[in-house]
Amino acid sequence: MSNRSDRQIITTNGETNTSLKDAGIPDDAAKDLLMKMLLIRTFEEKAEELFSLGRVHGTMHLSIGQEATAVGAATALRRGDYLLNTHRGHGHCLAWFDTNPDLMMAEFMGKETGYCRGRGGSMHIANVDANNLGANGIVAGGVPIAIGVGLSIKMRKTDQVCMVVFGDGGANEGAVHESLNMASIWNLPVIYLVENNQYAMSMPFTRAFNIPEISQRAAAYNIHGVTVDGNDLAAVYVAVRDAAERARAGEGPTLIEAVTYRWRGHSKSDKQAYRTRDEVKEWQAQDPIRRFAHVLGLTDAQLDALRQQAAERIEAAVAFAEASPEPEVSRITEGVYA
Amino acid sequence: MSNRSDRQIITTNGETNTSLKDAGIPDDAAKDLLMKMLLIRTFEEKAEELFSLGRVHGTMHLSIGQEATAVGAATALRRGDYLLNTHRGHGHCLAWFDTNPDLMMAEFMGKETGYCRGRGGSMHIANVDANNLGANGIVAGGVPIAIGVGLSIKMRKTDQVCMVVFGDGGANEGAVHESLNMASIWNLPVIYLVENNQYAMSMPFTRAFNIPEISQRAAAYNIHGVTVDGNDLAAVYVAVRDAAERARAGEGPTLIEAVTYRWRGHSKSDKQAYRTRDEVKEWQAQDPIRRFAHVLGLTDAQLDALRQQAAERIEAAVAFAEASPEPEVSRITEGVYA
Amino acid sequence: MREITYVEAVREALRQAMAADDRIFLIGEDIGVYGGAFGATAGLIQDFGAERVIDTPISEAGITGACIGAALTGMRPVGEIQFMDFITLSMEQLVLQAAKIRFMFGGKASVPMVLRTPAGSGTGAAAQHSESLENWFVHIPGLKVVMPSSPYDVKGLLLAALQDENPVIFIEHKLLYKTKGPVPEEMYTIPLGQSNVVRPGKDLTVVATSIMVNRAVEAANKLAEEGLDVEVVDPRTLSPLDDSVIIESVKKTGRAMVVHEAVKTSGFGAEVVARLNESEAFDYLEAPVRRVAGLDIPIPYNRNLEYHAVPQVETIATEARKLIRGEY
Amino acid sequence: MREITYVEAVREALRQAMAADDRIFLIGEDIGVYGGAFGATAGLIQDFGAERVIDTPISEAGITGACIGAALTGMRPVGEIQFMDFITLSMEQLVLQAAKIRFMFGGKASVPMVLRTPAGSGTGAAAQHSESLENWFVHIPGLKVVMPSSPYDVKGLLLAALQDENPVIFIEHKLLYKTKGPVPEEMYTIPLGQSNVVRPGKDLTVVATSIMVNRAVEAANKLAEEGLDVEVVDPRTLSPLDDSVIIESVKKTGRAMVVHEAVKTSGFGAEVVARLNESEAFDYLEAPVRRVAGLDIPIPYNRNLEYHAVPQVETIATEARKLIRGEY
Ligand SMILES: Cc1ncc(C[n+]2csc(CCOP(=O)(O)OP(=O)(O)O)c2C)c(N)n1
Ligand SMILES: Cc1ncc(C[n+]2csc(CCOP(=O)(O)OP(=O)(O)O)c2C)c(N)n1
Ligand SMILES: [Mg+2]
Ligand SMILES: [Mg+2]
């Protein structure tokens, strides 16, 4: 048993990055990964801007600062695997297979051309054709669903895996307990990725938990548990890759805790009275994008050039979205039933 | 942390009983405890008889074979402490403070004189005056409620504790996860007593769990966890007494797993296709009542005499119940609102 | 025609559907060797194995999520919630996920799952094992709600539900399981969303659901001896509700009564009353539509109280008589 | 009189009640330093400390259970469910425990708790953050359901709920939080179970709940310019429902309309229609009672679709006009 729940701890100290060679990530591929992180960062910065300009309504949850977890995780999986995403899901969605930023931005802006025809919005973006089963407005809402995806994979006898993402806050929902137990007793090919970004809205991880690492809970179900530096792309990549290998080999689920930090407020209406500017600054010093650029040995100029490329791609997405039609009110009742 | 979740394992081998001296149970008191177990056994044997004679309707869940857990646990607590009980709760109810078998039997038979005026029945017997907050028809239904009782104790600054009982099956409900976590982070005076009687209806413990002991889950919340021989009254007594002491000292909750066995079917409609007669026989050989009588050095004749006394008390309860009036239909809508 | 019980009809539908479509599997508590709390799945694990008849831990939210995830990825799950009361633990997954996923995803996904659950009182199991919560689900767009009253209907409706692309809440009744009736051996479907005139009559329309259909028919037969001619309509599918049959019936009889076991306040009966008011039947109403339903109380344990908590044949007959004779 | 906002009135009621009764405490997600998702509890943790303003992990069933256990043992808990949608995770504790404990225990226990939660759409948060599920709870005996529409009412009703011995579901509306109105500074209560004539009129009775009361009054003022005189009745407490005021009003006006944001099918409007049918008001009805409610769809994200998913002032005015003019 103990061997099934041994935990490799990787420090969040920005200096100690997992080397790409150890991770088995070829340098040329690495550049694309950096680009993906930049795409996420610029998508969300643009989303923020559009929101403050009043060009989108509602609310949104930005994952700025958490890009390494999203890109590291998706990169370790295969086209055909499944994703169950969270309310803070722009990053995972953009990092996932075949995602088109145009359709994402169109959905974000509530347009008919969006992934969900403007019916879902930021918290519900899905691309079912690519087995991206959607973001979820309900904390841990996708976690029980992962049981069914895992069962379905087993029954269809494919070698797919299902990755379900949730937050530190979500980890305390009862449904997570039921899901982890069922995945364990049935040995399901499910990867539970907990993004521990230190807060659930205003609730600090340290007050919502009486344990130092969420991955310790894996032992309660006798499954693999591991805590990794969520700001170290290669570290996340390794953890998810290993979990996927085990899952495909019929060795069941893994609980991965990616330790990271939310740079922005929880949502647009957050005054952040629950944390200090200094704390935010400290974590920003570990910017996963700069860290990865550092690993790739890029100069600031080179990084800025890439950032510029990303920004252009996102501008194109905004242009596409703005040129897209609004949903027709006459079709408002469509899509309730099949 | 480790010291908070160290687990003393006590074998279920019938020969190794915890000595009363070690447990600090005086011999004279011990005799009353044996009597309590006999009262439970005879109450349930009578309940079974009344049911088969068609004199009660509905269903019931018998705890025959689990008496040591009920009596050992209640004995370790104080008048004024709280009990949240299960659907298989006759034993805990009879073992609790100030319980009157007459009113219990009357409730079981649906009479106006019953604890719940015949509205609740076997699955809902409560004696709120004695802080027995009731049995529960919902598996683990009392577990979230325990959080509130614990909070209330803390806020009222009393030295009470709350014991919530649930089964191995109940332990896999999501609400248990939420409750254990909240009790841990708030350090609540709650004792979680899991009666692992090897089955949840037809589901064997070994198939519903991928861990050898439920008490291991205490570590997921950094609380005390212990597994004891649920058929060894003194062992249960010691575990609950220690948990209560810690709780009163402000050291928070404990998860106690009492390993025992359900002799009867799950309910009256159980063909028991999921287990063998031999397995049942093996466990019956560890009859907690005989084991305790053995510890007390009683002869069979002496034990039978006590059994006779218990039977007479239960007969009196039946007589009281049968002489009691039925609830009046004209008062059917009473008690919905205060 | 061959007669079998309601529970046998459920089992036969499941067996035939599983044999015909290997995407279908069953998941729930004690549905394997135990055969289900009421025997609905008895023997199926022997026929189809533990991979397709899956016993679960006691985790209702997990069971529901398992159905949703499997349905989203090409399977046809049939979940069992052992008692309808426990569906209270599945509400988030059912209402916020299963019912809304298709709409939220712009119509680009579907969740073809069936959640079977037994409702109703009369078993002496008291307030936490006797719920009739169907109207909650009728209130949720995206869900279909089926409530069969006979062995024939339960087989045909279950087979139809298993072919439906939407999440279907399939509500059986504990006291109906042992009732017998003619049921074809072959597979057949009763389309969801078709009300059924169970007994024709001209003096009064009684719209009844689940076990109340049987009680309404019994009451109608009694009243027939008094020369009163009652029509009994069984919606069978509460959502989507086929009110055309009900409206036509009321236009003919001029009087209507709704009967259900669930508590009266904000129960399904209110929706039927409102539909009739909004329909052309309103002008044909010679008296206000009456609701005959469960008392606004939890189900009591005591057998006699339990009996009086929900409509019985006598209740229905008395109310119907009054309504026809204009004694209000 | 001093004017404050709806959310300030909620906060003032909580602050005054907590100062007066130390059995009262607050428990929920982000209600402390954050002040609640909509600011309802802002500043209370500073005044009363973390022992009486308890931030919880994200565990809605746990929050609800915490309220029940505390209420059973002498406290007066006020739980907050951050969005009404998430109450789907509390259903077992609310419906099978809180609502039934008193009855199941023969009337020998009580569960004096208040569960506050914001409902409704209009914030662009889409289908999982816009639910209006009040009618589920009206269907559950043992629960009380309150839905205040003004700053004055929300303070008086919340103070009354805090004195009630029963579990009360207290439903606020996100779009009402910023609305202003006159509110006395001192403590006062509005008894639960009293409907309120918000605007007198003689041509039509509009029964509206929560934010629809404001929209109905606005619509009525428009129609006044056309010489149409609409009476608006706000039940305020949906359970127990004081239908006497509604019935009297309809006997006077001869016409009735129910307006709510929740989806129409099996919504609270149906119950009002049924109550009117069963009452003496039926004979005064010159036209069938109309329901104006949310479309039978999940709330869409797109702002324009969201706007059209629920009744707006124009919708109410148009329907009222038709009803008065007999244009159906
Ligand atoms: C069941 C449920 N409860 C509460 C909320 C409101 N809410 C949305 S996000 C959030 C915090 C989630 O924290 P965490 O799981 O750590 O994810 P993060 O936002 O930090 O990425 C809360 C309380 C919700 N959406 N669903
Ligand atoms: C939420 C819920 N799910 C299912 C049931 C039906 N049920 C009643 S007892 C039981 C088995 C409980 O097993 P366990 O918790 O081990 O207690 P035991 O019966 O063994 O004492 C089940 C499935 C229930 N009452 N409540
Ligand atoms: Mg977080
Ligand atoms: Mg058990």
Side-chain angles (χ1 to χ4, degrees):
Chain A
M1 196 194 83
S2 59
N3 71 307
R4 290 200 64 195
S5 37
D6 51 6
R7 293 166 26 250
Q8 335 145 11
I9 312 302
I10 297 172
T11 161
T12 54
N13 162 3
E15 296 324 301
T16 62
N17 290 301
T18 307
S19 89
L20 297 183
K21 215 160 94 297
D22 299 354
I25 302 174
D27 284 12
D28 52 348
K31 198 142 188 186
D32 300 347
L33 303 186
L34 177 62
M35 196 60 207
K36 271 206 170 139
M37 288 202 282
L38 287 165
L39 203 64
I40 294 168
R41 177 74 55 96
T42 46
F43 180 97
E44 293 201 313
E45 284 167 346
K46 175 57 71 175
E48 202 170 23
E49 179 192 329
L50 291 168
F51 191 93
S52 50
L53 293 173
R55 276 156 68 191
V56 286
H57 75 152
T59 187
M60 67 183 150
H61 306 91
L62 301 175
S63 66
I64 291 175
Q66 306 178 197
E67 296 87 352
T69 298
V71 176
T75 306
L77 297 176
R78 297 188 195 152
R79 181 174 275 101
D81 289 335
Y82 292 100
L83 170 68
L84 288 159
N85 197 0
T86 71
H87 60 283
R88 199 174 301 285
H90 298 146
H92 290 282
C93 189
L94 278 163
W96 197 251
F97 304 89
D98 307 321
T99 300
N100 180 341
D102 296 345
L103 309 193
M104 247 186 94
M105 188 60 80
E107 187 55 37
F108 183 71
M109 296 182 79
K111 297 306 186 81
E112 181 68 25
T113 54
Y115 270 120
C116 305
R117 300 183 54 205
R119 272 70 172 173
S122 169
M123 274 193 285
H124 303 293
I125 304 178
N127 180 13
V128 177
D129 295 339
N131 289 354
N132 169 355
L133 301 181
N136 208 309
I138 300 306
V139 164
V143 179
I145 297 174
I147 303 163
V149 178
L151 273 174
S152 155
I153 292 170
K154 259 187 111 167
M155 288 188 267
R156 289 183 286 105
K157 301 188 169 38
T158 69
D159 67 351
Q160 297 162 289
V161 304
C162 172
M163 177 170 77
V164 57
V165 187
F166 52 108
D168 49 294
N172 284 325
E173 284 284 5
V176 173
H177 174 61
E178 299 186 4
S179 184
L180 287 168
N181 186 59
M182 285 168 145
S184 171
I185 60 174
W186 296 330
N187 224 35
L188 302 180
V190 178
I191 299 168
Y192 293 85
L193 178 61
V194 188
E195 294 180 299
N196 182 352
N197 59 6
Q198 310 311 313
Y199 291 93
M201 206 154 154
S202 68
M203 186 64 149
F205 164 68
T206 51
R207 278 179 54 215
F209 292 78
N210 191 18
I211 50 175
E213 284 158 352
I214 296 173
S215 62
Q216 283 179 246
R217 289 189 173 167
Y221 313 96
N222 188 22
I223 64 174
H224 279 277
V226 56
T227 293
V228 299
D229 178 352
N231 292 343
D232 178 348
L233 189 150
V236 175
Y237 172 86
V238 167
V240 175
R241 182 199 61 199
D242 295 353
E245 265 171 26
R246 279 191 300 268
R248 295 189 215 281
E251 290 166 35
T254 300
L255 176 61
I256 300 172
E257 175 186 21
V259 178
T260 179
Y261 195 81
R262 158 167 62 75
W263 287 15
R264 294 297 194 267
H266 165 70
S267 66
K268 296 318 297 173
S269 46
D270 180 356
K271 298 185 200 61
Q272 303 183 58
Y274 50 85
R275 66 182 184 184
T276 64
R277 291 222 163 292
D278 291 353
E279 181 187 288
V280 178
K281 284 220 183 63
E282 272 174 38
W283 280 89
Q284 285 177 335
Q286 292 187 32
D287 181 352
I289 291 178
R290 293 208 152 281
R291 279 175 61 178
F292 199 68
H294 172 79
V295 170
L296 293 185
L298 295 184
T299 66
D300 287 4
Q302 289 169 310
L303 181 56
D304 289 344
L306 292 174
R307 196 185 301 271
Q308 191 46 42
Q309 267 182 51
E312 279 156 21
R313 180 64 190 90
I314 296 304
E315 281 306 335
V318 173
F320 170 84
E322 300 207 308
S324 296
E326 293 272 326
E328 294 166 28
V329 174
S330 62
R331 304 178 65 178
I332 190 170
T333 59
E334 281 180 7
V336 178
Y337 290 97
Chain B
M1 194 194 84
S2 59
N3 73 307
R4 289 200 66 195
S5 38
D6 53 6
R7 296 168 20 254
Q8 336 146 8
I9 312 303
I10 296 172
T11 159
T12 54
N13 162 2
E15 296 322 301
T16 62
N17 290 302
T18 306
S19 88
L20 297 182
K21 214 160 93 299
D22 299 351
I25 302 173
D27 284 14
D28 52 347
K31 198 144 188 185
D32 300 346
L33 303 186
L34 177 62
M35 195 60 206
K36 272 211 171 131
M37 287 200 285
L38 286 165
L39 204 64
I40 295 167
R41 178 75 53 96
T42 46
F43 180 97
E44 292 201 312
E45 283 168 348
K46 175 57 70 174
E48 201 169 22
E49 178 193 329
L50 291 168
F51 190 94
S52 50
L53 293 173
R55 277 156 69 191
V56 286
H57 76 151
T59 187
M60 65 182 152
H61 306 91
L62 301 175
S63 65
I64 292 175
Q66 307 179 197
E67 296 87 352
T69 298
V71 177
T75 306
L77 298 176
R78 296 187 194 153
R79 179 173 275 104
D81 289 336
Y82 293 100
L83 171 67
L84 287 158
N85 197 0
T86 71
H87 60 283
R88 199 175 300 287
H90 299 145
H92 290 283
C93 188
L94 278 162
W96 197 251
F97 304 90
D98 306 320
T99 300
N100 181 339
D102 296 345
L103 310 194
M104 245 186 95
M105 188 60 79
E107 187 56 36
F108 183 69
M109 296 181 79
K111 298 306 186 79
E112 181 69 24
T113 55
Y115 271 120
C116 306
R117 300 182 56 205
R119 272 70 171 173
S122 169
M123 273 192 285
H124 303 292
I125 304 178
N127 180 13
V128 177
D129 295 339
N131 289 355
N132 168 355
L133 302 181
N136 208 309
I138 301 305
V139 163
V143 179
I145 298 174
I147 304 164
V149 178
L151 273 174
S152 153
I153 292 170
K154 260 188 109 168
M155 288 188 268
R156 288 183 286 107
K157 300 188 169 39
T158 69
D159 67 351
Q160 297 162 289
V161 305
C162 172
M163 177 169 76
V164 57
V165 187
F166 52 109
D168 47 294
N172 285 325
E173 283 285 4
V176 173
H177 174 61
E178 299 186 4
S179 183
L180 287 168
N181 185 60
M182 286 168 145
S184 172
I185 60 175
W186 295 330
N187 224 32
L188 302 179
V190 178
I191 299 168
Y192 294 85
L193 178 60
V194 189
E195 294 180 299
N196 182 352
N197 61 5
Q198 310 311 312
Y199 292 93
M201 206 156 155
S202 68
M203 186 64 146
F205 163 67
T206 51
R207 278 179 53 214
F209 292 78
N210 192 19
I211 50 175
E213 284 158 351
I214 298 173
S215 62
Q216 284 179 245
R217 289 188 173 169
Y221 312 96
N222 188 21
I223 65 173
H224 279 278
V226 55
T227 293
V228 299
D229 178 353
N231 291 341
D232 179 346
L233 189 151
V236 175
Y237 172 87
V238 169
V240 176
R241 182 200 60 200
D242 294 352
E245 266 172 25
R246 280 191 300 267
R248 295 189 214 280
E251 291 166 33
T254 300
L255 176 61
I256 300 173
E257 174 186 21
V259 178
T260 180
Y261 195 81
R262 158 167 61 76
W263 288 17
R264 295 293 195 270
H266 164 70
S267 67
K268 296 317 297 175
S269 46
D270 180 357
K271 298 183 200 63
Q272 303 184 55
Y274 50 84
R275 65 182 185 182
T276 65
R277 292 221 162 292
D278 290 354
E279 181 186 291
V280 178
K281 285 219 183 61
E282 273 173 37
W283 280 89
Q284 285 177 335
Q286 293 188 30
D287 180 353
I289 292 179
R290 295 209 151 280
R291 279 174 61 178
F292 200 68
H294 171 79
V295 171
L296 293 184
L298 296 184
T299 66
D300 286 5
Q302 290 169 307
L303 180 57
D304 289 344
L306 292 174
R307 195 186 301 273
Q308 190 48 38
Q309 268 182 50
E312 280 156 21
R313 180 64 189 90
I314 296 304
E315 280 307 334
V318 172
F320 170 84
E322 298 206 310
S324 296
E326 293 271 325
E328 293 166 27
V329 174
S330 62
R331 304 178 65 178
I332 191 170
T333 58
E334 282 180 7
V336 178
Y337 290 96
Chain C
M1 194 191 297
R2 169 198 65 156
E3 295 216 335
I4 61 174
T5 63
Y6 185 97
V7 71
E8 286 163 347
V10 170
R11 196 182 305 133
E12 185 167 278
L14 292 173
R15 180 179 275 110
Q16 291 178 339
M18 289 176 80
D21 182 348
D22 55 21
R23 296 171 307 169
I24 298 174
F25 70 94
L26 314 183
I27 183 164
E29 295 159 11
D30 309 291
I31 64 171
V33 178
Y34 197 99
F38 297 92
T41 56
L44 296 180
I45 192 167
Q46 286 79 354
D47 297 4
F48 299 101
E51 297 67 32
R52 291 181 68 191
V53 182
I54 303 173
D55 275 323
T56 69
I58 308 176
S59 305
E60 287 76 10
I63 291 166
T64 312
C67 290
I68 297 169
L72 273 172
T73 55
M75 304 299 289
R76 295 271 167 167
V78 182
E80 178 175 305
I81 299 295
Q82 204 167 67
F83 284 71
M84 186 170 208
D85 312 62
F86 317 149
I87 209 166
T88 50
L89 289 157
S90 304
M91 297 308 285
E92 183 277 319
Q93 286 289 300
L94 271 180
V95 172
L96 302 185
Q97 310 294 338
K100 294 179 169 54
I101 281 174
R102 182 178 182 79
F103 185 87
M104 292 190 303
F105 291 3
K108 296 177 183 173
S110 59
V111 185
M113 61 179 273
V114 176
L115 200 64
R116 294 180 41 250
T117 190
S121 64
T123 66
Q128 293 176 330
H129 287 71
S130 306
E131 288 279 20
S132 299
L133 299 170
E134 59 275 7
N135 206 41
W136 278 3
F137 302 100
V138 177
H139 191 45
I140 302 302
L143 298 178
K144 293 190 176 183
V145 182
V146 182
M147 253 182 134
S149 64
S150 72
Y152 178 85
D153 284 356
V154 82
K155 180 175 176 181
L157 288 166
L158 183 48
L159 287 170
L162 288 167
Q163 289 173 15
D164 201 275
E165 293 297 324
N166 303 287
V168 179
I169 311 298
F170 196 86
I171 306 170
E172 300 161 11
H173 196 293
K174 295 159 206 156
L175 298 189
L176 287 176
Y177 280 131
K178 294 196 165 102
T179 59
K180 271 197 156 203
V183 178
E185 311 210 356
E186 67 275 10
M187 291 175 86
Y188 61 96
T189 60
I190 298 172
L192 304 190
Q194 285 186 11
S195 296
N196 180 31
V197 176
V198 177
R199 183 189 192 284
K202 58 177 176 21
D203 299 333
L204 165 68
T205 299
V206 173
V207 179
T209 59
S210 191
I211 194 168
M212 293 301 155
V213 174
N214 307 33
R215 293 185 187 166
V217 169
E218 235 186 282
N221 295 338
K222 278 191 184 206
L223 295 168
E225 297 161 12
E226 306 170 20
L228 304 180
D229 190 15
V230 174
E231 178 151 306
V232 179
V233 179
D234 177 1
R236 297 194 294 203
T237 303
L238 276 57
S239 176
L241 174 63
D242 166 22
D243 52 16
S244 61
V245 172
I246 299 170
I247 291 163
E248 282 318 305
S249 172
V250 174
K251 281 164 70 177
K252 180 179 66 178
T253 63
R255 292 188 172 78
M257 187 168 98
V258 201
V259 188
H260 57 68
E261 175 168 350
V263 298
K264 180 195 249 183
T265 300
S266 288
F268 179 69
E271 178 62 24
V272 173
V273 174
R275 293 279 188 109
L276 285 170
N277 268 255
E278 291 159 358
S279 76
E280 65 268 36
F282 183 76
D283 301 327
Y284 296 76
L285 281 175
E286 290 162 33
V289 183
R290 312 278 332 163
R291 292 184 291 171
V292 176
L295 298 177
D296 286 327
I297 62 171
I299 297 296
Y301 169 68
N302 173 276
R303 187 181 300 188
N304 196 30
L305 294 185
E306 182 185 27
Y307 179 88
H308 285 90
V310 303
Q312 302 295 344
V313 174
E314 312 82 273
T315 338
I316 300 169
T318 312
E319 295 295 316
R321 198 180 288 111
K322 279 205 239 154
L323 184 51
I324 296 173
R325 300 204 179 131
E327 292 166 2
Y328 280 110
Chain D
M1 194 191 299
R2 169 199 64 157
E3 296 217 336
I4 59 174
T5 63
Y6 186 96
V7 71
E8 286 164 346
V10 170
R11 195 181 307 133
E12 184 168 278
L14 292 173
R15 178 179 277 112
Q16 291 177 340
M18 289 176 80
D21 182 347
D22 56 21
R23 297 170 307 167
I24 297 175
F25 69 94
L26 314 183
I27 183 164
E29 294 158 13
D30 310 291
I31 63 172
V33 178
Y34 196 100
F38 297 92
T41 56
L44 296 180
I45 193 167
Q46 286 79 351
D47 298 3
F48 299 102
E51 298 68 31
R52 291 181 70 191
V53 182
I54 304 173
D55 275 322
T56 69
I58 308 176
S59 305
E60 286 76 10
I63 291 167
T64 312
C67 291
I68 297 169
L72 274 172
T73 55
M75 303 299 289
R76 296 268 167 168
V78 182
E80 176 174 307
I81 298 296
Q82 204 167 66
F83 285 71
M84 187 170 207
D85 312 64
F86 317 149
I87 210 167
T88 51
L89 288 157
S90 304
M91 297 308 285
E92 183 277 318
Q93 286 289 299
L94 272 180
V95 172
L96 302 184
Q97 310 293 339
K100 293 178 170 54
I101 280 174
R102 182 178 182 78
F103 185 87
M104 293 191 302
F105 292 2
K108 297 176 182 174
S110 58
V111 186
M113 61 181 271
V114 176
L115 200 63
R116 293 180 43 250
T117 191
S121 63
T123 65
Q128 293 176 331
H129 287 72
S130 306
E131 288 278 21
S132 300
L133 299 170
E134 60 274 7
N135 206 40
W136 277 5
F137 302 99
V138 177
H139 191 46
I140 302 301
L143 298 179
K144 293 191 176 183
V145 182
V146 182
M147 252 182 134
S149 63
S150 71
Y152 179 85
D153 284 356
V154 82
K155 180 175 176 181
L157 289 165
L158 184 48
L159 287 170
L162 288 167
Q163 289 174 16
D164 202 275
E165 292 298 324
N166 303 286
V168 178
I169 312 297
F170 196 86
I171 305 171
E172 300 162 10
H173 196 293
K174 295 159 207 157
L175 298 189
L176 287 176
Y177 280 131
K178 296 196 164 105
T179 58
K180 271 195 158 207
V183 177
E185 310 211 355
E186 67 276 10
M187 289 176 86
Y188 61 96
T189 60
I190 297 172
L192 303 190
Q194 284 186 10
S195 295
N196 180 32
V197 177
V198 178
R199 183 189 193 285
K202 56 177 176 22
D203 299 333
L204 165 68
T205 300
V206 173
V207 179
T209 60
S210 190
I211 194 168
M212 292 301 155
V213 173
N214 307 35
R215 293 184 187 167
V217 169
E218 233 186 286
N221 294 340
K222 279 188 184 212
L223 294 169
E225 298 160 13
E226 305 170 24
L228 304 180
D229 189 17
V230 174
E231 178 152 305
V232 179
V233 179
D234 176 1
R236 297 192 295 203
T237 303
L238 276 56
S239 177
L241 174 64
D242 165 22
D243 52 15
S244 61
V245 173
I246 299 170
I247 291 164
E248 282 318 304
S249 173
V250 174
K251 281 164 71 176
K252 180 179 67 179
T253 63
R255 292 189 171 78
M257 188 167 98
V258 201
V259 189
H260 56 66
E261 174 168 351
V263 299
K264 181 196 248 184
T265 301
S266 288
F268 179 69
E271 178 62 23
V272 173
V273 174
R275 294 280 187 108
L276 286 170
N277 268 255
E278 291 159 357
S279 76
E280 64 268 34
F282 183 77
D283 302 327
Y284 296 76
L285 281 175
E286 290 161 35
V289 183
R290 312 263 354 149
R291 292 185 290 172
V292 176
L295 298 177
D296 286 328
I297 61 171
I299 296 296
Y301 169 68
N302 172 276
R303 187 181 301 190
N304 196 28
L305 294 186
E306 182 185 28
Y307 179 88
H308 285 90
V310 303
Q312 302 296 343
V313 174
E314 312 83 88
T315 335
I316 300 169
T318 311
E319 293 295 317
R321 197 180 291 112
K322 277 205 241 157
L323 185 50
I324 297 172
R325 298 202 180 136
E327 290 166 3
Y328 278 111

